[in-house]
Amino acid sequence: MAFHKINVSVNGVMEEVVVPSNMTLMRMLRESLALTGTKNGCSAGECGACTVLINGEPVNSCMLLAVECDGAEITTVEGLAHDKQLDPIQEAIIQEGGVQCGFCTPGILISARALLDRNPDPSEDDIREALVGNLCRCTGYVRIVESVKAAARMLAVTS
Amino acid sequence: MSINPHPTLPEFDYIKPKTIDEACKFLTEHKGEARPLLGGTDIFVRMRDGVWKDKYLVDVKHLDGMNDIKFDPATGLIIGSAVNMNRVIAFQAVKENYQVLAEAAYSCASYQLRTRATIVGNICNASPAGDTIGACLLLGGILNVQGVNGARREPLSSFFLGPGETGLKPGDIVSSIQFPVPPRGMQGKYIKHGRNNLSDLSIVGVTVVGTPDSGVLSGYRIRLALASVAPVPLVVDQVESILSGKAINEEIIAEAASVAMAACNPIDDVRGSARYRKLMVKNLSFKAITAVWDELRK
Amino acid sequence: MVKVDSQYFPSPIGENKPRIDAREKVTGAAIYADDLQFGNALLHARIKRSPHPHAFIKKIDITQARTLPGVKTIVTGEDFPGHIGLYLQDRFIFCRDRVRYVGDPVVGVAATTVEVAEKALSLIKVEYEVLEPVLDPEFGVSPEAPLLHPDLGKYVVAPFIFPEPGTNISNHFIIRKGDVDSAWEKCSAIVERKYRIPHIQHVPIEPHVAIARVDGTGEVTLWGSSQSPFAQRNLIAQSLGISKNEMRVIAPYVGGGFGSKAGVSMEALAVAIATKVKGHPVKLLLTREEEFYTAFVRQGLAAYFKMGCDEKGRLLAMENKFYWDGGAYTEYGVNITRAAGYSSSGPYEVPNVKTDSYCVYTNHPVTGPMRGFGMPEMHAGLEQCIDELALEIRMDAVEFRKLNCLKTGSILVTGSTMHPIGLLQCIEKAAEAIGWGNKAPPSAPNKKRGKGIALMWKAPAMPPNAGSSAWVELTEDGMLNVGLGGQDLGQGAFTVAAQMAAAGMGVPYEWVRIATPIDTRYSPYEWQTVASRLTWSMGNAIVNAAKDARRQVLEMVAEAWGEIPEDLDIVNGVVISFKSEKEIPLKNLVIYGLPKPDDQGWRGGPVIGRGNFMPTYVTGLDPKTGQGERAVVHYTTGAQAVELEVDLDTGRIEIIKGVSAFDVGKAINPELVKAQMEGGFVQGMSSALFESLLVKDGVVQNPSFVDYRIATSADVPRDLQAFIIEVPQDDGPWGARGIGEHSMVPTVPAIANAIYDAVGIRPGDPPFTAEKIYLLMYDAGIVK
């Protein structure tokens, strides 16, 4: 099997990694870079726990190859906060009680962040539709949806 | 049926050719062991399940034109093969002129998967459950195919030969799909019925596209395609005949819906029974045709 | 109860404190078991599993696999002769003579990479002699059924479980209260129904994972996603013949449990394999597919209900037969059978009850505890019958329930007396919130709208002596460290523990740290994080520990000030005297003590409080009648109501509004309590509308998210309400009882009853898929 040396920016840091052809981005993040914030819930593109941003767009990191990310910019949950300052979506989800076991949370935060980037004033439907690929078993989603609304309000105030 | 407890991606070599000719050549030379890679959403699933065992995945996403989506009011819409579904949905000209395609794409999977999934990819895999294939068929989609013997065009209407079987030959790469300029006043609707409200594979999918046409008795040409109820994406031609031959009213629509039900051949599977699927074809065809007709009459 | 309220410094009890673990979780810093880093010595395990539901193992050939480079060990049942099990030791870690379900572990491999381990599996050949399987519990109890556990009579079993050796019945729980047979003729209305409740799975978003390492001295360390570190240590050590002292379990954050990570399941496999590769940590991470069919699943149930009431609607008699599909091993499932048995009247006062609750072995996946512990499966049918009975007697469904529901002092199905509860208030609240009695018009001509209600009750199902313990330790900067053995699965256990410790000690909530991860070497004992018992049981232990620490502090300060402890208090981290108005911050004395006057020495020292709690009053139940004085510690009761629409074109159900009202005694953190009600409602709704493991000939047909559907953000009702009723529990901390499981229990029947209200169809067995509802309507002529 072929190996590839790739250069990829992860949370603003340039990384050079050697990956086999069949390594997914998820495994590269978790295993090669020890960025374990991104979670493995199914490895099949169904649960969304592995969601990261690639060039600003959310993907299931288990559904693309690391080698396909050569030259790309990846953002994981570890890259949402800046120093000690949490992103509004992180503040909001704590405030609204949208975190329970926390395993779906990184993927949810990434999907929500991307939604707010493309649509700063999402409706309830917009939010539900944007999160449909992030399964949560604990919260029943209501507080997660409220968190996104709260984050949108926070962003509107600061912008 | 036995369960595979550990579906994983097998070993393969990732190949990134520099030109489309190089890609075609590689695919031909490694016929049967190499596959073009677009968004990978079908490939990953089938390789994990052990259904596809290719030794080489040939990434074609970066090749010329594959990433472009363009609309020309004179010639129509051309979508590069690598353009992901989210981009198609958001493209202004698609929203204005080919809404049914956007509606069908929006019903697929999740935002994350649509960042990867491509219209062309789904067509090449010819999945009978493909949500966008019906719209592509009814909009008159034509594939631009690059092969070892040069370029050719493949109209979708004759492209699907059987479950998973298409008019593509080894070494072929589809570089784009194009759609003619839509007729004035065209309306469309896609209704997807899954188990969840969103994100599921379809149990039944109904696409309807209608256009005012003074050349037929009813004044409208209305066509219908079905997903998940036949071995291939199914265009039910009799629906068009019924809806063009007489003045359209609720009874005629109901008749067309019954014909659609009779024309399809669904199976029992874990998602739904054949009996239920047939009944849904009837109900949802009625709904979709009515919705399009209502829009056409406005 | 601890006196802490002060007009200036409100107690954290009843406050919506932010989660203590939220920041870690939102930054990706929270470590779950698969995130732990083990370095180059880490080996990866894979399990070769039975492809047959029932077969003898004839031959295992590992010769080829053993020579594969990278393979470090291959183990089979030959290597591990000990039985294992919580209430009934009916399992081996790896199968020995036979396999009993598709997925039963036969061979374990540890290798340098997962890929090598999988390659090794493909080189291992196992020969089986296929046997006739039992695929249904009613067949399982019949004399024609093959015997799945011929050694049932020899298994070590808990004293309150009654297996019937020579059969496939691993527990038979009996209720004989009053005289059911002669009660029927007094009934004005009788309803008799059968329900089949399918297997479902917990679907935690984090699959099971365990890493085990045995070091050179034989000491075992197990890291895992675990609800039960102490139980896992006990059971695995005992099975492998290790002393409990030599085994250590470390349990980081759990990404969802719902019962699946209680007891022991796949963890034993990792430990067993690790014993053969000393010095190497061995990781076993279940794939999602394995999670669906080889981790615990919920029991299936064939339930027969017969119930009758008099002309005024008073319930007179109930006769129940439950055949629980316990799967291949019922070491945990036997207690579910019992719990359902002693709850089989539902939350109603019924003078005559006859119940036979059978736990039956089948060749289905292994069943275990799932949120509700038999209550959702049982209430699914029971609460539909109650609705039918109310209709028969022409009584409103809410009025019928209010008449019959349990109240303070009611006599229960076990003959015990009900403690103070607010079930009636829950019913009234739920009915009011859903707008009971008002029918709103449907939102479209092709929809029909309906409302339904259902009640529930549940007691923590556990041994009579399940205990908790805790310590609190003050630090040099006056912070409070709390040691405990219960786990936060997401329900908020650590947060409310911190609130209770803070309140007990008299410090702000923000000063409290919970000593995590739970580590059996250092953490104090906790039976298991199950049964919705932590707030109550672990809470009491924490309060006792805080009281102990507080007593030490107050005694020390009183002596130093020449006062009496009764005149002192600790408020907001400061020791104050009501008498002299002196004060001193805690941090000034909790490590170094206080100096005696005139340089005469010191008093006090590092303050560490300890406490425990174990119920002392739980009695047994007569095995022949199920009657006893107090077989459970307490009940949490509640009600849910739903308003929904049925789409006449597709049969799809849309929940418009869901309402929960539960009596939790005291909400230590109201928002967390409500979050449990919301999450439980949605999980219940998901099981009502989408979920079932489709098992055919013993093979799970849908072991993946593609075809095992769960609720997504698009499926949740827009209007989900949660109401807290508080009728205090006499021995709960501040009156608190549990809530974690209860909100999943009444959802299925509430939805079923609402479907009936909408379209006049009794949907019966869940899941109420669109197809099921549509075809029922079609066949009834309601749609064409």
Side-chain angles (χ1 to χ4, degrees):
Chain A
M1 180 164 57
F3 282 75
H4 314 270
K5 177 149 61 168
I6 63 170
N7 292 290
V8 59
S9 158
V10 182
N11 298 328
V13 175
M14 279 309 296
E15 303 276 1
E16 189 183 86
V17 197
V18 175
V19 297
S21 286
N22 69 350
M23 178 178 259
T24 61
L25 175 62
M26 178 186 77
R27 288 190 64 185
M28 186 197 87
L29 292 169
R30 287 182 58 78
E31 294 169 32
S32 312
L33 298 178
L35 285 168
T36 56
T38 303
K39 303 302 182 197
N40 175 5
C42 73
S43 293
E46 291 286 330
C47 74
C50 69
T51 308
V52 300
L53 297 180
I54 180 165
N55 301 328
E57 287 297 313
V59 279
N60 297 312
S61 58
C62 72
M63 290 294 280
L64 72 167
L65 303 174
V67 60
E68 289 181 88
C69 302
D70 192 15
E73 271 179 34
I74 309 288
T75 307
T76 71
V77 65
E78 291 96 336
L80 285 179
H82 295 286
D83 290 323
K84 293 270 167 97
Q85 182 71 25
L86 294 181
D87 186 282
I89 186 62
Q90 291 169 305
E91 294 279 11
I93 206 170
I94 296 177
Q95 219 172 277
E96 297 296 319
V99 180
Q100 288 191 27
C101 83
F103 203 75
C104 76
T105 305
I108 293 263
L109 291 171
I110 295 285
S111 283
R113 178 73 255 179
L115 169 66
L116 293 170
D117 284 342
R118 64 180 183 268
N119 180 356
D121 186 21
S123 67
E124 169 108 20
D125 278 339
D126 291 335
I127 298 172
R128 284 162 173 256
E129 286 161 18
L131 295 179
V132 86
N134 290 88
L135 297 179
C136 172
R137 197 58 159 161
C138 296
T139 65
Y141 305 100
V142 270
R143 285 165 195 262
I144 292 176
V145 172
E146 290 305 308
S147 312
V148 181
K149 291 182 191 166
R153 287 192 296 269
M154 282 187 214
L155 287 167
V157 163
T158 57
S159 64
Chain B
M1 181 201 127
S2 69
I3 306 171
N4 176 2
H6 315 120
T8 25
L9 286 178
E11 290 191 3
F12 55 80
D13 285 351
Y14 169 86
I15 307 290
K16 192 167 180 178
K18 294 194 187 52
T19 65
I20 206 164
D21 283 328
E22 195 187 311
C24 290
K25 197 150 164 286
F26 188 96
L27 288 165
T28 314
E29 276 165 17
H30 296 91
K31 160 166 88 168
E33 320 183 291
R35 190 177 293 273
L37 171 66
L38 287 170
T41 51
D42 282 323
I43 289 181
F44 271 58
V45 169
R46 297 191 206 202
M47 287 185 97
R48 284 181 88 239
D49 288 342
V51 175
W52 287 349
K53 304 188 216 284
D54 302 282
K55 291 230 219 68
Y56 305 96
L57 287 185
V58 181
D59 195 348
V60 297
K61 288 194 283 298
H62 53 290
L63 297 174
D64 259 359
M66 307 270 262
N67 267 298
D68 298 331
I69 176 169
K70 288 203 261 270
F71 176 70
D72 182 328
T75 53
L77 176 71
I78 182 159
I79 304 178
S81 295
V83 175
N84 70 42
M85 288 206 185
N86 283 332
R87 285 181 61 203
V88 172
I89 295 165
F91 193 63
Q92 194 58 28
V94 170
K95 290 200 271 206
E96 283 171 11
N97 302 301
Y98 306 87
Q99 303 96 311
V100 67
L101 184 60
E103 190 178 8
Y106 193 60
S107 77
C108 287
S110 63
Y111 193 91
Q112 294 98 310
L113 284 172
R114 292 196 300 272
T115 301
R116 295 280 291 170
T118 62
I119 306 245
V120 166
N122 277 4
I123 287 173
C124 294
N125 295 318
S127 162
D131 291 304
T132 51
I133 301 182
C136 292
L137 276 163
L138 298 183
L139 291 171
I142 298 173
L143 298 176
N144 290 314
V145 184
Q146 191 74 19
V148 273
N149 297 322
R152 68 181 195 280
R153 288 151 60 86
E154 288 260 9
L156 277 186
S157 45
S158 50
F159 184 69
F160 300 103
L161 306 175
E165 242 193 279
T166 67
L168 291 180
K169 323 251 177 310
D172 281 348
I173 296 175
V174 178
S175 57
S176 61
I177 182 171
Q178 63 184 80
F179 300 93
V181 178
R184 181 161 307 162
M186 184 180 79
Q187 300 291 337
K189 182 102 193 113
Y190 179 63
I191 298 184
K192 171 177 177 167
H193 183 54
R195 287 159 295 189
N196 297 73
N197 278 338
L198 284 180
S199 88
D200 197 1
L201 294 168
S202 66
I203 301 174
V204 164
V206 179
T207 321
V208 172
V209 170
T211 319
D213 187 342
S214 50
V216 297
L217 209 142
S218 71
Y220 300 101
R221 270 186 81 227
I222 300 180
R223 305 180 67 217
L224 178 142
L226 298 173
S228 293
V229 291
V232 291
L234 184 61
V235 176
V236 186
D237 292 317
Q238 298 129 284
V239 166
E240 187 183 350
S241 329
I242 291 173
L243 295 171
S244 58
K246 321 178 198 162
I248 299 177
N249 58 33
E250 208 178 294
E251 265 121 54
I252 299 299
I253 296 180
E255 190 190 326
S258 294
V259 158
M261 176 169 81
C264 71
N265 196 15
I267 56 168
D268 289 326
D269 71 15
V270 293
R271 280 161 224 145
S273 68
R275 180 185 180 212
Y276 179 64
R277 287 178 143 121
K278 276 200 170 256
L279 292 167
M280 288 305 101
V281 164
K282 180 162 74 93
N283 291 354
L284 298 177
S285 296
F286 184 89
K287 258 184 125 154
I289 297 169
T290 305
V292 167
W293 187 48
D294 284 342
E295 287 300 307
L296 285 170
R297 288 184 301 161
K298 281 202 185 134
Chain C
M1 304 259 269
V2 180
K3 173 176 88 78
V4 285
D5 291 301
S6 152
Q7 58 180 154
Y8 302 113
F9 304 107
S11 157
I13 300 303
E15 297 276 297
N16 295 320
K17 292 298 183 188
R19 288 186 72 102
I20 204 169
D21 50 4
R23 203 185 166 94
E24 265 184 290
K25 288 176 173 173
V26 303
T27 54
I31 298 292
Y32 300 79
D34 189 39
D35 301 332
L36 293 165
Q37 305 291 317
F38 288 94
N40 292 334
L42 180 67
L43 298 177
H44 298 267
R46 278 288 197 239
I47 309 296
K48 191 162 183 79
R49 301 178 179 278
S50 168
H52 303 293
H54 192 203
F56 284 128
I57 300 173
K58 301 308 284 180
K59 188 161 168 240
I60 303 177
D61 179 2
I62 63 171
T63 43
Q64 251 198 304
R66 216 203 321 238
T67 59
L68 191 65
V71 170
K72 298 299 185 193
T73 191
I74 303 183
V75 303
T76 67
E78 285 274 301
D79 301 303
F80 309 108
H83 283 92
I84 192 167
L86 179 63
Y87 295 111
L88 172 70
Q89 288 175 23
D90 66 359
R91 230 179 150 161
F92 292 113
I93 296 180
F94 282 91
C95 298
R96 285 170 63 82
D97 63 322
R98 68 165 92 187
V99 294
R100 292 182 174 87
Y101 74 103
V102 174
D104 217 347
V106 177
V107 187
V109 172
T112 47
T113 68
V114 169
E115 289 76 21
V116 170
E118 278 174 20
K119 179 99 178 106
L121 291 192
S122 68
L123 297 174
I124 295 170
K125 312 274 175 274
V126 185
E127 270 170 44
Y128 297 95
E129 179 191 323
V130 173
L131 301 168
E132 186 199 352
V134 174
L135 301 174
D136 171 87
E138 291 182 87
F139 175 61
V141 299
S142 73
E144 294 83 50
L147 209 57
L148 301 185
H149 285 262
D151 289 337
L152 182 56
K154 302 197 193 121
Y155 295 153
V156 172
V157 61
F160 47 86
I161 302 293
F162 305 104
E164 295 183 359
T167 73
N168 288 318
I169 297 170
S170 56
N171 191 22
H172 179 194
F173 183 88
I174 297 172
I175 293 273
R176 298 287 185 268
K177 180 188 178 196
D179 180 0
V180 158
D181 294 322
S182 58
W184 297 120
E185 57 205 23
K186 305 191 186 98
C187 294
S188 299
I190 295 176
V191 166
E192 217 175 328
R193 292 283 179 266
K194 174 184 178 180
Y195 296 89
R196 283 308 304 262
I197 312 297
H199 294 288
I200 66 173
Q201 214 269 335
H202 315 59
V203 194
I205 305 300
E206 180 205 24
H208 280 70
V209 54
I211 307 105
R213 187 189 68 210
V214 180
D215 71 20
T217 69
E219 183 141 330
V220 180
T221 310
L222 168 65
W223 294 262
S225 180
S226 166
Q227 297 176 225
S228 309
F230 291 91
Q232 287 175 349
R233 179 186 67 177
N234 293 356
L235 265 44
I236 297 174
Q238 182 257 304
S239 175
L240 290 174
I242 305 170
S243 109
K244 283 160 203 178
N245 276 340
E246 288 176 313
M247 181 155 171
R248 174 182 181 187
V249 181
I250 301 175
Y253 282 114
V254 180
F258 313 106
S260 68
K261 294 169 182 172
V264 173
S265 59
M266 50 76 78
E267 302 79 11
L269 299 169
V271 177
I273 296 171
T275 60
K276 304 296 184 192
V277 281
K278 291 205 161 67
H280 288 276
V282 176
K283 178 190 285 201
L284 179 61
L285 170 65
L286 292 192
T287 63
R288 177 57 62 181
E289 289 73 13
E290 283 175 308
E291 182 69 34
F292 272 112
Y293 74 104
T294 75
F296 281 131
V297 306
R298 197 179 76 176
Q299 296 194 324
L301 172 63
Y304 293 86
F305 295 97
K306 182 177 179 186
M307 51 176 77
C309 64
D310 66 14
E311 75 287 354
K312 291 207 166 60
R314 283 177 301 224
L315 285 166
L316 291 182
M318 283 187 177
E319 186 170 339
N320 310 303
K321 267 198 166 54
F322 301 148
Y323 298 96
W324 294 91
D325 186 334
Y329 306 100
T330 61
E331 46 101 6
Y332 213 132
V334 284
N335 203 23
I336 293 163
T337 301
R338 170 185 159 86
Y342 65 58
S343 311
S344 56
S345 59
Y348 300 106
E349 187 159 17
V350 187
N352 305 288
V353 181
K354 178 179 180 189
T355 296
D356 289 279
S357 183
Y358 300 98
C359 190
V360 186
Y361 285 121
T362 66
N363 297 112
H364 278 176
V366 181
T367 69
M370 180 171 174
R371 194 175 196 174
F373 210 72
M375 298 302 103
E377 303 92 295
M378 185 186 81
H379 284 74
L382 193 151
E383 278 293 280
Q384 289 188 65
C385 285
I386 291 282
D387 242 42
E388 289 205 61
L389 200 55
L391 190 67
E392 271 279 307
I393 206 78
R394 301 196 201 301
M395 251 180 107
D396 173 83
V398 168
E399 290 312 307
F400 187 90
R401 287 179 170 84
K402 280 165 69 171
L403 175 65
N404 288 289
C405 75
L406 293 168
K407 302 161 181 85
T408 305
S410 294
I411 305 298
L412 307 180
V413 57
T414 52
S416 335
T417 307
M418 182 48 101
H419 55 74
I421 53 160
L423 178 53
L424 197 56
Q425 287 136 280
C426 293
I427 301 172
E428 285 166 349
K429 191 76 209 174
E432 176 200 32
I434 206 72
W436 192 263
N438 302 324
K439 195 134 183 163
S443 62
N446 69 330
K447 311 257 179 153
K448 288 259 184 179
R449 201 175 261 229
K451 295 183 183 180
I453 192 166
L455 315 183
M456 65 77 61
W457 72 326
K458 179 183 186 289
M462 49 189 194
N465 56 352
S468 304
S469 55
W471 46 255
V472 304
E473 166 197 61
L474 286 140
T475 65
E476 277 142 300
D477 50 357
M479 297 289 136
L480 192 69
N481 283 343
V482 178
L484 42 78
Q487 270 283 53
D488 200 318
L489 316 174
Q491 81 284 49
F494 290 163
T495 303
V496 295
Q499 288 178 251
M500 291 191 279
M505 194 66 221
V507 302
Y509 165 75
E510 292 70 20
W511 291 12
V512 181
R513 297 286 170 272
I514 308 291
T516 58
I518 307 306
D519 181 335
T520 58
R521 179 177 284 176
Y522 303 109
S523 302
Y525 176 86
E526 185 62 53
W527 178 63
Q528 295 197 75
T529 300
V530 295
S532 311
R533 57 184 286 280
L534 287 194
T535 302
W536 166 74
S537 181
M538 189 173 82
N540 279 331
I542 290 169
V543 167
N544 288 338
K547 274 184 182 166
D548 186 35
R550 167 188 267 269
R551 178 191 54 76
Q552 291 170 45
V553 167
L554 295 186
E555 280 174 6
M556 182 201 330
V557 175
E559 202 187 284
W561 291 352
E563 302 194 34
I564 53 168
E566 289 70 21
D567 288 335
L568 304 181
D569 200 355
I570 307 176
V571 178
N572 221 33
V574 179
V575 184
I576 60 175
S577 166
F578 294 119
K579 194 146 179 226
S580 65
E581 295 189 9
K582 275 161 99 155
E583 47 179 76
I584 180 169
L586 269 182
K587 68 180 193 292
N588 291 8
L589 55 93
V590 287
I591 297 295
Y592 303 111
L594 289 171
K596 290 184 183 158
D598 307 316
D599 213 5
Q600 287 302 300
W602 290 78
R603 54 169 60 94
V607 175
I608 182 160
R610 56 129 175 84
N612 68 13
F613 177 78
M614 190 184 84
T616 52
Y617 44 75
V618 178
T619 66
L621 290 171
D622 184 315
K624 295 203 180 61
T625 61
Q627 304 297 294
E629 212 180 293
R630 188 173 180 180
V632 304
V633 292
H634 56 252
Y635 293 89
T636 295
T637 57
Q640 278 177 346
V642 307
E643 183 177 11
L644 55 76
E645 281 195 334
V646 181
D647 185 318
L648 296 174
D649 291 326
T650 60
R652 177 171 283 142
I653 305 294
E654 188 187 338
I655 311 288
I656 310 283
K657 183 168 172 175
V659 165
S660 297
F662 288 88
D663 174 9
V664 302
K666 172 73 184 175
I668 305 292
N669 185 319
E671 285 305 299
L672 286 184
V673 169
K674 287 185 183 172
Q676 286 305 293
M677 293 196 210
E678 292 156 13
F681 181 95
V682 171
Q683 198 172 17
M685 178 196 87
S686 184
S687 74
L689 301 182
F690 306 122
E691 296 182 44
S692 84
L693 281 168
L694 301 164
V695 194
K696 187 162 168 261
D697 300 324
V699 180
V700 174
Q701 307 288 307
N702 57 340
S704 82
F705 282 122
V706 176
D707 285 319
Y708 186 99
R709 307 302 297 173
I710 69 170
T712 67
S713 57
D715 299 308
V716 182
R718 303 280 150 143
D719 190 354
L720 198 55
Q721 296 175 23
F723 297 98
I724 295 172
I725 306 295
E726 289 174 318
V727 174
Q729 183 60 39
D730 62 358
D731 69 350
W734 292 273
R737 274 191 289 279
I739 182 57
E741 297 170 273
H742 309 78
S743 48
M744 187 181 173
V745 175
T747 330
V748 167
I751 289 173
N753 294 337
I755 291 173
Y756 180 78
D757 188 44
V759 292
I761 300 243
R762 297 274 175 204
D765 303 337
F768 311 133
T769 59
E771 170 165 343
K772 176 179 204 140
I773 299 302
Y774 186 80
L775 292 178
L776 281 173
M777 291 195 296
Y778 191 85
D779 292 336
I782 295 172
V783 297
K784 295 190 210 340

